[in-house]
Structure formats: structure tokens, C-alpha cells
Amino acid sequence: MSIDLHSHSTASDGTLSPTELVKLAKETGLDAIAITDHDTLQGIPEALEAGRKFGIEVIPGSELSLESPDGAGWMHVVALWIPPDPRELQTAFDWVIEGRMNRNREIVKKLRSLGINITYEGVANRAKGTIGRPHFAQELLSLGVVSTIDEAFKVWLGDNGRAYVPKRKLMPKKAFDILNNIGATSILAHPFALGLDLLKTEKLVKELIGYGLDGIEVYYSEHDDAATKAYKEMAERLGLLASGGSDFHGSVKPNIRLGKGKGGLHVPTELLIKMKEDRRAKGLPI
Ligand code: AMP
Ligand code: FE
Ligand code: FE
Ligand code: ZN
């Protein structure tokens, strides 16, 4: 009995449509799936409809990119149970997406100045929703500039890549205020990606609890047993919900399978039951 509370569709940088994603979740035998596209709500209505059609629970979500509180980096927060038409959140996403459009133009400029014959249109044609670096990676691959998606990130697009351009991000306080106001459940995504040791991670997590953080991603494709155990204990110690998901993106991350991650992932359905109990206790809809 397992679930997957972190997945991407063509509404952001995944390669399956929301319908295909939900269908795959059903075929995989999952009890529930959360659709959590980056900085967009676009895929949610279709995913919910597919959930009804295929008979599987779909939790409407999104993954927000935030500045870290000390401004030294970034962090991702998965928001679950986003209500229909969350005006405040949509306004924030509009601002983020406007920044993305400028950034995408900048990345094209940088790549072209480095001698690569890439066009904005070529990249944009690969995206159905928000355009992000994975679409650039696919275009670089098809232009023969790189031979793998990973190489595209390592050499060109990644944080140390030659054509890296930072992304416009929301400030944590503001983002959490919005998530609290709309009654979403907020989960710190892939905590290992913060690049902090466990002590520093815990310090940051405590700060985020002050903002309204509800839980952390304990089960994740890139977490080994030791990491899973450490985050599970951290969640228990701090009274946080435990969440988990694969971060499935389809063929741009071919080694990550929905619900199964790299093969060893198992996110117990029990976590979802606990989350619902928590929401009920707070008078929030499920
Ligand atoms: P962006 O939101 O445009 O900054 O792009 C970030 C996205 O790129 C992440 O959410 C991942 O989906 C993807 N990504 C980052 N590094 C890699 C990598 N090495 N291989 C494949 N996808 C990656
Ligand atoms: Fe992504
Ligand atoms: Fe993420
Ligand atoms: Zn993700």
C-alpha cells in the first residue's frame, strides 16, 4: 500500500500529461498521487478529472521554489491540498513565471554567445506549460551539443554551468503566509538538496516551523536508508508530518520511476492518513 506525493507533468517540466501521469499511478497500483508541478497550478484540473476517471485519489499540489531564509541558497516546498482558485498563490506564481520568461531569454542569449545555435522558439516548442531548464536540456540534446540530459546540466545549465542564470524565487515568509492563508499542507521537499549537514538542516527546519511548515519529505528517490531514518527521526522529534514521493519527471529523469524512485522507494499510505488526520484536526478540507 503506497503513494507518491511528489510528481511532475507537462504543466511544468515532466514529460507525461496530467492524465497520463494519473493513469500511470493507477497502473502502478498506487493508492494516491499528488501532482506537484513547479510554480504552476495548470495541471491540477486535468489531474483531478483523471483521478475520477481512473478511480485513484489525486491530491492537488505544487512545488514552490523559495529563497532560503538566510538568502544563501534555495529550497523547494511541496504544497498539498491547494484549494480551487487560490488567488493569492496564483498572483505569486504569475510573478515567478514572469521572472522565468526573462530568465529563459537570458539563458538563450548566453548559450548563443557561447556559440550554440539554439533558439527560444526551439526550446519553447518543447514545453506545454512552464518552460524550464529541462526543456533547454532536451533541446541541447537534440541539437547534438550534449549526449545526455545530465551533461546538459553539468556543462551548461546547472548552478555551475556555463549558461547558468538564477531564477526569481519567492521569499519564504511570504510564501508560507500564502500557504497558511489558503489552507495548504506545506512540506519541505528533498531536504538533502539543501546541502546542509543534519544539525544545520534541523536548525533551518525549526525556523520554517515558525513560518508554518507542516512536514518534511522523509521518503525520496535520492535518500538512502540512513538519510530516510535521519529525516524520519527529525520529523518525529519536531512534531512534523512525514511525506514522501519520487519526484517523477518522466523521460527527462529516466532513472526515476513513479512510486518506486530508483527501485527502493516505498512511501507508505499511512503517511497520507496521518496528513488527513492533521488537516481534519485543523478544520481543513481534504
Ligand atoms: P528550473 O526550474 O528551470 O530551474 O529547472 C530545475 C529542474 O531541472 C529541476 O526541477 C529538475 O527537474 C531539473 N534538473 C536539475 N538538475 C537535473 C539533472 N542533472 N538531470 C535532469 N534534470 C535536472
Ligand atoms: Fe523539475
Ligand atoms: Fe524539487
Ligand atoms: Zn520536484
Side-chain angles (χ1 to χ4, degrees), residues 110-277:
K110 272 203 177 180
L111 287 168
R112 291 186 67 86
S113 77
L114 291 163
I116 293 170
N117 193 18
I118 197 168
T119 64
Y120 182 80
E121 289 65 34
V123 177
N125 282 339
R126 298 186 170 275
K128 291 214 172 73
T130 326
I131 306 171
R133 285 182 290 169
H135 303 110
F136 281 88
Q138 288 168 303
E139 183 69 358
L140 289 173
L141 188 63
S142 93
L143 290 172
V145 175
V146 294
S147 49
T148 62
I149 295 283
D150 217 39
E151 185 190 342
F153 276 92
K154 279 213 177 80
V155 180
W156 303 100
L157 306 167
D159 299 10
N160 298 311
R162 298 180 67 191
Y164 177 68
V165 180
K167 186 160 74 171
R168 185 186 276 184
K169 296 186 270 330
L170 292 166
M171 296 309 288
K173 174 79 174 75
K174 178 173 167 127
F176 278 100
D177 281 350
I178 294 172
L179 297 181
N180 296 335
N181 288 344
I182 66 172
T185 293
S186 54
I187 307 290
L188 178 65
H190 39 66
F192 81 97
L194 296 165
L196 304 173
D197 63 32
L198 281 170
L199 264 175
K200 287 193 175 129
T201 302
E202 185 152 339
K203 187 166 170 273
L204 174 69
V205 169
K206 281 182 180 159
E207 199 176 337
L208 299 179
I209 291 173
Y211 291 166
L213 181 74
D214 295 306
I216 57 176
E217 220 163 43
V218 168
Y219 303 86
Y220 188 74
S221 298
E222 310 283 343
H223 288 174
D224 58 18
D225 289 349
T228 303
K229 184 166 177 281
Y231 294 125
K232 187 164 184 271
E233 287 169 0
M234 192 183 293
E236 280 163 8
R237 208 165 38 243
L238 302 177
L240 287 167
L241 294 166
S243 186
S246 63
D247 209 355
F248 177 78
H249 278 72
S251 63
V252 273
K253 284 191 185 173
N255 58 339
I256 305 288
R257 283 187 295 150
L258 190 67
K260 302 193 170 87
K262 289 180 169 170
L265 183 72
H266 169 81
V267 186
T269 302
E270 181 66 23
L271 302 188
L272 182 61
I273 296 169
K274 290 233 174 76
M275 286 182 187
K276 287 178 178 173
E277 280 168 7

Side-chain angles (χ1 to χ4, degrees), residues 6-8 36 38 63 76 78 189-190 220 247-249 253:
H6 188 161
S7 72
H8 298 267
T36 59
H38 299 281
E63 183 176 18
H76 286 175
V78 163
H190 39 66
Y220 188 74
D247 209 355
F248 177 78
H249 278 72
K253 284 191 185 173

Side-chain angles (χ1 to χ4, degrees), residues 85-136:
D85 198 17
R87 290 285 168 79
E88 263 185 280
L89 183 60
Q90 187 56 58
T91 303
F93 280 166
D94 288 346
W95 178 79
V96 168
I97 287 168
E98 180 194 76
R100 252 190 197 283
M101 292 197 282
N102 299 335
R103 176 204 199 206
N104 290 335
R105 298 275 182 193
E106 285 298 312
I107 298 176
V108 170
K109 257 195 225 160
K110 272 203 177 180
L111 287 168
R112 291 186 67 86
S113 77
L114 291 163
I116 293 170
N117 193 18
I118 197 168
T119 64
Y120 182 80
E121 289 65 34
V123 177
N125 282 339
R126 298 186 170 275
K128 291 214 172 73
T130 326
I131 306 171
R133 285 182 290 169
H135 303 110
F136 281 88

